[in-house]
């Protein structure tokens, strides 16, 4: 889906939570987040590959949780098993 389709779906349906990518075609995740906030207080989890802290801090104004892919990386042991 692109940002325009996302906005259309959001306005036609009810959601318990929204999982939103920042880098969408046609309408950015940031723009969608702003539109969603005008309509409802549905929780929004934002995913992004951006590593700029300012991009993430700016989204806190919308009461969103911003998650980067590295937030999910767990330590992995590469030692051979005995």
């Amino acid at each position: 889906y692109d940002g325009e389709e996302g906005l259309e779906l959001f306005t036609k349906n009810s959601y318990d939570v929204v999982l939103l990518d920042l880098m969408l075609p046609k309408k950015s995740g940031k723009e969608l987040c702003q539109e969603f906030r005008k309509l409802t207080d549905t929780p929004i989890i934002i995913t992004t590959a951006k590593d700029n802290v300012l991009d993430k801090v700016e989204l806190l104004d919308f009461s969103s949780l911003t998650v980067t892919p590295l937030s999910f990386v767990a330590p992995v042991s590469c030692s051979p098993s005995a």
Side-chain angles (χ1 to χ4, degrees):
Y1 297 101
D2 61 44
E4 290 176 356
E5 291 172 312
L7 182 57
E8 182 179 339
L9 287 168
F10 187 81
T11 57
K12 290 182 178 180
N13 299 289
S14 175
Y15 297 98
D16 293 325
V17 67
V18 174
L19 181 60
L20 181 64
D21 189 351
L22 274 186
M23 299 182 339
L24 294 171
K26 296 188 180 178
K27 190 176 275 274
S28 73
K30 178 183 171 186
E31 291 173 298
L32 284 179
C33 191
Q34 291 169 332
E35 293 291 327
F36 294 168
R37 279 292 157 255
K38 291 177 187 175
L39 301 171
T40 183
D41 61 352
T42 300
I44 302 171
I45 299 173
I46 298 174
T47 61
T48 182
K50 292 184 174 187
D51 60 356
N52 183 336
V53 174
L54 293 178
D55 288 328
K56 297 173 190 175
V57 170
E58 182 179 28
L59 293 167
L60 293 175
D61 291 339
F62 303 109
S63 301
S64 306
L65 171 63
T66 306
V67 179
T68 61
L70 293 178
S71 299
F72 293 110
V73 176
V76 176
S77 173
C78 295
S79 59
S81 53

